[in-house]
Amino acid sequence: HFGATVHLLDDGFQHLPLARGTDLLIVTPEDLADSRTLPCGRLRESLEAASAAHALLVADASDDEASRIGSQLGVPHLFRLAREAGAACRLDDFDRRVPVAVGKVPVHAVAAIARPERFFEDLRASGWPVAGTTAYPDHHRFTSREIADLVATARRGGAAALMTTEKDLMRLQPFRPLPLPVMWLPLRIRVEPADAFARWLCDRLADERAACSGDVS
């Protein structure tokens, strides 16, 4: 109906019934350090399954680490993921997204994402004085009691504002207005080298389109 020619699916590597054209698999050195699968480890399936991917997107790794991971997993094409923190914004200015300059205001960082310590590290690396941190399980939905406890903890630690992620900001909005100012830090992810990745992906999509052109009216 909308004339789409590409469907982009997140978190679908184990969805075997789906007819997929290109599999991009995100991996980190941590995945290889502990190769146990659920429920004993964090992986959904064994590392041997990674060879089914068409390319790896290696996060939190140097060029040498990325090459080693690609060789170990048997995937010929690999690229690196680089994280870059953007300028913080205030929840009160959500619609306008007015950037807030890094200052001396101490913040209490709160995150309910996978590996929240990365968010805390990004905050500190951006220059924000982090008075304290609170981490919740991924996809956690806050309660009024938790918000009250969070604000109390932040105030005891000397924080003048809460700082959270874009993802968690959506779950904090129903509790507006909060007793403390709330800011959020956008995170940008880019694939490197960008030009090489764009060429590789476009070539694959062109090949897939040509292969299925006989099946599409």
Side-chain angles (χ1 to χ4, degrees):
H1 180 73
F2 291 107
T5 59
V6 175
H7 291 275
L8 179 63
L9 175 67
D10 174 44
D11 206 12
F13 192 64
Q14 286 81 34
H15 191 60
L16 299 182
L18 182 68
R20 298 166 312 201
T22 299
D23 278 313
L24 303 175
L25 182 63
I26 298 176
V27 296
T28 68
E30 184 182 19
D31 296 327
L32 276 69
D34 184 0
S35 60
R36 295 176 300 171
T37 56
L38 295 170
C40 299
R42 60 189 297 270
L43 300 184
R44 298 181 184 179
E45 57 183 325
S46 66
L47 290 174
E48 287 74 15
S51 61
H54 297 98
L56 296 181
L57 304 180
V58 185
D60 303 326
S62 64
D63 290 339
D64 290 340
E65 286 178 310
S67 297
R68 177 179 58 82
I69 291 173
S71 298
Q72 184 171 343
L73 297 183
V75 180
H77 301 284
L78 66 91
F79 305 91
R80 290 181 58 245
L81 288 182
R83 301 199 321 274
E84 181 181 65
C89 300
R90 289 175 58 98
L91 175 57
D92 293 341
D93 293 325
F94 178 75
D95 293 333
R96 296 187 299 153
R97 301 199 175 199
V98 178
V100 178
V102 176
K104 298 180 179 180
V105 177
V107 299
H108 187 93
V110 54
I113 58 175
R115 299 182 64 187
E117 66 278 359
R118 291 190 301 180
F119 171 66
F120 303 148
E121 293 168 2
D122 289 336
L123 266 181
R124 295 187 178 98
S126 298
W128 285 98
V130 180
T133 64
T134 299
Y136 295 91
D138 195 13
H139 305 299
H140 181 74
R141 294 191 177 277
F142 300 100
T143 66
S144 298
R145 177 59 184 272
E146 288 173 335
I147 296 298
D149 291 343
L150 181 61
V151 170
T153 300
R155 283 175 168 166
R156 284 196 302 269
L162 297 176
M163 181 74 80
T164 191
T165 68
E166 283 186 273
K167 178 180 177 180
D168 296 312
L169 181 73
M170 299 298 107
R171 300 192 180 101
L172 290 176
Q173 292 222 38
F175 300 96
R176 299 172 67 180
L178 276 77
L180 276 180
V182 177
M183 294 185 287
W184 52 284
L185 190 75
L187 184 65
R188 299 182 178 89
I189 305 294
R190 64 180 186 274
V191 182
E192 297 180 341
D195 291 342
F197 175 68
R199 288 194 300 270
W200 176 84
L201 186 57
C202 287
D203 287 345
R204 278 207 58 90
L205 293 177
D207 291 342
E208 291 172 31
R209 185 175 293 111
C212 70
S213 59
D215 300 327
V216 179
S217 57

